[in-house]
Amino acid sequence: MSSPAPGLITSAGAGRFAPSPSGDLHIGNIRSGLLAYVRARQTGRRFLWRIEDLDRVQPGAAQSQLEVFAELGITPDEPPLVQSDRLEVYAEALNRLAGQGLVYECYCSRKDIQQAPSAPHSPPGAYPGTCRDLLESERERHRQRLDEQGRRPALRLRTDNAEVTVHDRLLGEITAPVDDLVLRRGDGVFAYNLIVIVDDGATGIDEVVRGDDLATSAPRQAHLAELLGLPQPSWLHVPLVVNTDGRRLAKRDGAVTYQQLRALGWTRDDVFAWMGASLGLAGPKDAWSSIDDMVSGVDFDGLLTRETVFVPPDGSGD
Ligand code: GLU
């Protein structure tokens, strides 16, 4: 592992919650964030908050997400890190990878990728490598073509499609092939996998607790951490809350946000009682009624890995 680049400074011992400010948090997002906090408190880590606002931002959502957590008794230990303030740091990380010869321009549209035959030995769904080894003259031609369409090339990571395994405290080994993932999109937005691991490294996040829909991203992020000389965090992916069809809970399922549930008469105690019941864990009292009850009541070693179904109280999700 090489040493971290300047600007990618690391310190030790923190967990985090990193919601995208794309709207109000639903009860499933909230549960993942509460669990991240509980784990940080149980293990003596700082609890940090990151506003992942490079994509899909709803004005006011970041503030309202923080307010919901404050109402539930949680304030982060440091002011939130805002991704849109950190574009230079991400550019520097990208340069570092480019300096290792690991970045190339990709001119493919989504359709190009879908229609391209997959490369021999590459994992299903992997980028087929169309733009990996083009001649400079071919690149020039593609740049011109994109320019005429008002598009810009994306930047991809050069990989050998090797499988990477990480260990998850709850799920055990997670193995996934790391393909030539996008580092910066054609619209200039830095890609999720790159900036997440850069920020985790910069803020000393040494354990990532988040929803298990992101479990398969962990090998990619671990691979990028390795290339950037950043320490590998440990991983703990918690089960999701789903709707009655078994799909990830979403706004269209009805009253699923804290604000909606409060409007329907749920109290804070009801929220914590639901957390306790949904996690199948006994609290110190009959039901949890505060974040402190959760900190003393959650046992990560006994946490169920199966999903929880949430039925909105007014039945509007039916
Ligand atoms: N911003 C991502 C989300 O809201 C989470 C990123 C992460 O925890 O790594 O789904």
Side-chain angles (χ1 to χ4, degrees), residues 5-316:
L8 304 178
I9 307 150
T10 59
S11 56
R16 47 71 159 186
F17 184 43
S20 306
S22 53
D24 288 336
L25 296 170
H26 61 61
I27 192 89
N29 304 137
I30 294 173
R31 192 176 75 171
S32 299
L34 292 182
L35 286 171
Y37 173 84
V38 165
R39 177 77 183 155
R41 280 294 164 270
Q42 286 183 351
T43 56
R45 292 179 163 92
R46 287 170 300 137
F47 175 71
L48 306 184
W49 189 288
R50 188 159 74 226
I51 299 177
E52 302 214 323
D53 64 343
L54 292 197
D55 207 12
R56 295 182 299 127
V57 175
Q58 189 189 93
Q63 190 52 34
S64 135
Q65 293 175 345
L66 279 155
E67 280 164 14
V68 166
F69 269 64
E71 241 182 273
L72 294 171
I74 295 176
T75 44
D77 293 326
E78 288 174 20
L81 197 77
V82 183
Q83 288 193 322
S84 55
D85 290 344
R86 293 175 50 75
L87 302 183
E88 280 171 23
V89 178
Y90 307 139
E92 191 181 312
L94 194 60
N95 281 340
R96 192 170 160 88
L97 295 171
Q100 299 171 58
L102 295 176
V103 179
Y104 66 88
E105 285 184 351
C106 170
Y107 317 97
C108 295
S109 64
R110 208 174 289 240
K111 198 162 146 211
D112 294 335
I113 296 173
Q114 274 161 6
Q115 288 175 350
S118 55
H121 312 302
S122 74
Y127 176 66
T130 321
C131 298
R132 188 185 293 143
D133 299 308
L134 297 178
L135 298 170
E136 191 46 39
S137 56
E138 293 172 308
R139 294 197 177 280
E140 234 357 279
R141 221 181 43 240
H142 281 298
R143 280 183 204 120
Q144 251 172 37
R145 176 176 60 84
L146 256 57
D147 202 44
E148 281 157 20
Q149 298 168 2
R151 288 169 53 208
R152 287 198 319 173
L155 297 176
R156 284 186 183 272
L157 180 72
R158 190 180 295 279
T159 68
D160 51 12
N161 288 318
E163 292 207 323
V164 173
T165 299
V166 299
H167 181 81
D168 183 278
R169 196 184 155 88
L170 216 54
L171 305 177
E173 289 198 339
I174 305 171
T175 301
V178 177
D179 73 340
D180 287 9
L181 51 95
V182 171
L183 297 167
R184 202 184 67 196
R185 301 187 328 207
D187 60 6
V189 175
F190 291 101
Y192 159 74
N193 283 306
L194 175 68
I195 60 182
V196 158
I197 203 68
V198 165
D199 285 344
D200 284 343
T203 48
I205 305 298
D206 62 347
E207 187 178 68
V208 171
V209 179
R210 62 184 176 192
D212 67 11
D213 52 331
L214 293 171
T216 52
S217 299
R220 292 191 192 102
Q221 292 163 13
H223 182 65
L224 283 166
E226 173 86 27
L227 296 175
L228 288 166
L230 296 168
Q232 301 279 336
S234 47
W235 311 92
L236 198 169
H237 289 91
V238 297
L240 292 188
V241 178
V242 296
N243 66 15
T244 44
D245 296 331
R247 278 200 280 274
R248 227 161 68 139
L249 203 60
K251 291 255 179 60
R252 62 180 169 279
D253 293 319
V256 293
T257 68
Y258 182 78
Q259 288 86 343
Q260 289 169 323
L261 293 168
R262 293 283 277 148
L264 286 174
W266 275 42
T267 62
R268 237 168 52 139
D269 283 9
D270 292 333
V271 172
F272 284 112
W274 180 83
M275 294 289 159
S278 77
L279 291 164
L281 297 165
K285 305 173 204 132
D286 291 335
W288 293 340
S289 61
S290 72
I291 188 61
D292 290 342
D293 287 348
M294 271 190 89
V295 173
S296 49
V298 172
D299 169 14
F300 280 94
D301 292 325
L303 207 66
L304 301 174
T305 52
R306 67 162 186 265
E307 301 158 334
T308 302
V309 177
F310 183 73
V311 184
D314 63 352
S316 61

